[in-house]
Amino acid sequence: MATDDSTWFKRRGYLHFDAPLGVAKATKLVRNTKAVSKHAFYPLLRYEVISKKLKRNADGKLKPEPKVRPISYAAHADSQIYSFYANQLAEAYERKLASLGISECVLAFRKLRKSNIEFARDAFSEISSMGRCSAVAIDISKFFDTINHQHLKRSWCDVIGRGKLPNDHYAVFKSLTKFSFCNRDAVYKTFQISSNNPWNGRQRICEPAEFRKRVRDSGLITTNKDIFGIPQGTPLSALLSNIYMIDFDRQMKALAKECGGSYRRYCDDMLFIVKRGCEARVESQADSELTKLGVVINPKKTEIRHFWRYGGVQTANAPLQYLGFTFDGQRILLRSAALAKFSGRMNKAIRLVSRALENQLDEGEDVRLRKKKLYERYSHLGHRNFIRYGLRAADKMHSKAIKRQLKPLWGKLNKKLDNLS
């Protein structure tokens, strides 16, 4: 599994307990298996991002619900180790998928040169070609938080073809199962670091002696003492979640084949497309196997959709939601919640610009500049935004319905920007 190039190396622009490493030092570290085996991993730094997720209430109206998402990131040397081992393991994982004949089943965290647009399009095309079929969509609840450590270790050994993990691999495994973290804001407060300008002449948060005295001995470190759970956000975490599910993926492909259909998984989202009458069997067996893994289904997100043809036209009992799109047998649409979220962000950005302009005396040039930025972020005039994504989806999915969804947003944006003049 030797990797001769340095494609795994990535410079990271954040402040942490250690200083950033150049490619030469990082390479020397990660290629020394003894050094990795004895490496002292720093705690992750963690902070929380609160976002609003739109959900339909009992009346069918979209209402925002706060969703707290912890963001964790590893120290610089640790990240380079994770990146290198992710590169190694990815090669072994791809070979394992090929040997099991399940390469087409796993969609996320792989170099497949496809996006959610193609993944969703392929699924909807399969449903269209089958005509009469059922789609069973299943979601795992708190996936990364419930990954069982012993099963992960067995799967890791299986992927690299070893009876036990080599010492260096075990050190990496242990760092991600018995992981520890510090609240970033608490650490910044301890060392009087501004969150707006954390570097400010620094190369690292503190020296090792200061870390031991002011972080470790002051009780700022929290350690995972459970036999399950790995952190999200490290360069290796996503791949490990796939490795964890490899035997499950094999079983589910076989199950789907017995039911005359297919199985695909995108991280914690699974989709079975099967013959009618197999829905209960698929849901029950998937639930049973997931329970053995120590993870559980989120019943609120389970969808069972029936498709059939009537008068030569395919229809469904309800639209299927998959990877940000919906499909009712005829039309592919963007999820209404995604459109509503985008509109909310656009309106908020325009309000902020409007308030800023009210506090300025000479507005002329500034108005033009700010309008340009808003157009770049919230219209087809930009290069990487939701509108461009939607238009790209419309083209690849041959969906005029998506274009009709997006068209009113251009008028709304222009109307609001006209009021800034």
Side-chain angles (χ1 to χ4, degrees):
M1 288 194 300
T3 305
D4 295 329
D5 58 38
S6 58
T7 54
W8 51 268
F9 179 82
K10 181 179 179 182
R11 296 185 186 277
R12 292 170 172 83
Y14 52 69
L15 185 69
H16 217 291
F17 290 121
D18 62 345
L21 274 69
V23 64
K25 283 188 175 181
T27 301
K28 184 178 179 180
L29 169 63
V30 302
R31 292 190 182 282
N32 186 333
T33 57
K34 289 185 178 180
V36 173
S37 301
K38 298 177 180 179
H39 182 73
F41 290 83
Y42 274 112
L44 303 164
L45 285 181
R46 177 175 291 186
Y47 65 97
E48 293 182 342
V49 172
I50 301 176
S51 59
K52 291 182 180 179
K53 193 168 185 179
L54 294 172
K55 291 187 177 181
R56 294 192 183 277
N57 59 17
D59 300 327
K61 295 180 179 179
L62 289 170
K63 294 193 71 176
E65 286 188 6
K67 182 180 180 180
V68 179
R69 187 163 62 100
I71 305 294
S72 302
Y73 53 102
H76 294 284
D78 303 350
S79 289
Q80 301 302 348
I81 291 173
Y82 294 145
S83 292
F84 181 75
Y85 280 80
N87 205 26
Q88 285 190 316
L89 283 172
E91 295 174 6
Y93 176 69
E94 290 298 327
R95 290 194 294 270
K96 189 69 177 180
L97 289 182
S99 70
L100 294 173
I102 58 173
S103 293
E104 76 281 6
C105 298
V106 185
L107 308 181
F109 315 131
R110 297 172 63 204
K111 297 177 181 179
L112 298 178
R113 299 181 183 275
K114 286 186 175 183
S115 69
N116 286 6
I117 295 172
E118 287 86 3
F119 295 143
R121 179 197 62 193
D122 293 347
F124 299 153
S125 295
E126 183 177 338
I127 291 171
S128 294
S129 64
M130 287 184 70
R132 180 179 171 82
C133 62
S134 292
V136 181
I138 296 173
D139 181 86
I140 299 174
S141 180
K142 298 181 179 179
F143 183 28
F144 284 80
D145 294 337
T146 54
I147 287 177
N148 179 274
H149 297 164
Q150 288 305 308
H151 181 80
L152 174 61
K153 185 162 68 170
R154 286 193 296 270
S155 298
W156 192 325
C157 287
D158 184 42
V159 164
I160 63 174
R162 303 286 288 268
K164 62 179 289 189
L165 291 180
N167 290 339
D168 55 326
H169 282 250
Y170 181 73
V172 176
F173 164 80
K174 188 176 179 181
S175 74
L176 289 170
T177 50
K178 297 302 179 185
F179 66 94
S180 59
F181 65 90
C182 298
N183 179 281
R184 183 197 63 180
D185 296 338
V187 170
Y188 278 12
K189 184 178 180 180
T190 297
F191 292 96
Q192 297 181 333
I193 298 172
S194 169
S195 58
N196 296 321
N197 183 24
W199 289 95
N200 195 25
R202 294 173 178 265
Q203 285 295 306
R204 59 195 297 170
I205 290 176
C206 59
E207 295 297 325
E210 288 183 293
F211 171 81
R212 290 190 290 271
K213 182 178 180 180
R214 302 179 65 182
V215 178
R216 187 187 65 187
D217 295 346
S218 296
L220 294 181
I221 301 175
T222 300
T223 301
N224 180 38
K225 297 180 181 179
D226 295 319
I227 60 171
F228 51 82
I230 65 172
Q232 286 182 262
T234 78
L236 187 52
S237 300
L239 175 60
L240 290 183
S241 73
N242 273 346
I243 289 174
Y244 186 78
M245 298 291 282
I246 197 163
D247 194 50
F248 176 85
D249 292 333
R250 179 187 61 79
Q251 293 178 66
M252 292 304 104
K253 181 187 177 178
L255 171 63
K257 187 176 181 180
E258 290 175 9
C259 293
S262 65
Y263 158 79
R264 42 178 60 80
R265 179 178 61 82
Y266 190 100
C267 189
D268 53 4
D269 291 327
M270 289 157 279
L271 180 67
F272 297 83
I273 301 171
V274 294
K275 290 182 178 179
R276 292 285 292 274
C278 290
E279 307 86 5
R281 178 186 173 190
V282 165
E283 185 179 8
S284 175
Q285 194 162 331
D287 184 36
S288 175
E289 294 303 323
L290 288 172
T291 300
K292 292 177 185 178
L293 290 176
V295 297
V296 295
I297 288 175
N298 183 348
K300 293 181 180 179
K301 292 189 176 181
T302 298
E303 289 187 2
I304 298 177
R305 300 291 182 258
H306 305 301
F307 293 86
W308 66 93
R309 293 194 188 280
Y310 182 78
V313 177
Q314 190 177 44
T315 188
N317 63 326
L320 170 68
Q321 296 189 63
Y322 186 59
L323 299 181
F325 300 92
T326 66
F327 180 59
D328 63 3
Q330 300 175 58
R331 299 184 307 162
I332 300 175
L333 295 168
L334 295 166
R335 289 181 63 228
S336 57
L339 286 166
K341 186 176 182 179
F342 174 78
S343 294
R345 286 180 175 174
M346 180 180 75
N347 293 334
K348 182 179 179 180
I350 293 172
R351 286 196 302 270
L352 290 173
V353 169
S354 178
R355 289 172 190 164
L357 292 175
E358 287 175 1
N359 296 326
Q360 294 177 357
L361 297 176
D362 185 12
E363 298 178 356
E365 184 65 31
D366 200 24
V367 169
R368 289 193 295 273
L369 181 60
R370 288 173 182 266
K371 277 188 174 183
K372 182 182 178 182
K373 289 183 178 179
L374 289 170
Y375 276 122
E376 289 174 350
R377 291 181 183 177
Y378 300 105
S379 81
H380 63 281
L381 300 176
H383 296 291
R384 293 175 62 89
N385 59 41
F386 178 76
I387 298 295
R388 295 294 298 184
Y389 177 80
L391 291 172
R392 191 164 68 252
D395 289 339
K396 291 189 175 183
M397 294 175 162
H398 305 293
S399 174
K400 293 181 180 179
I402 290 179
K403 290 185 177 180
R404 287 194 291 269
Q405 282 182 294
L406 297 172
K407 188 175 181 180
L409 294 172
W410 172 248
K412 290 179 181 178
L413 177 62
N414 278 317
K415 185 177 180 180
K416 289 181 178 294
L417 291 184
D418 285 344
N419 295 330
L420 293 180
S421 302

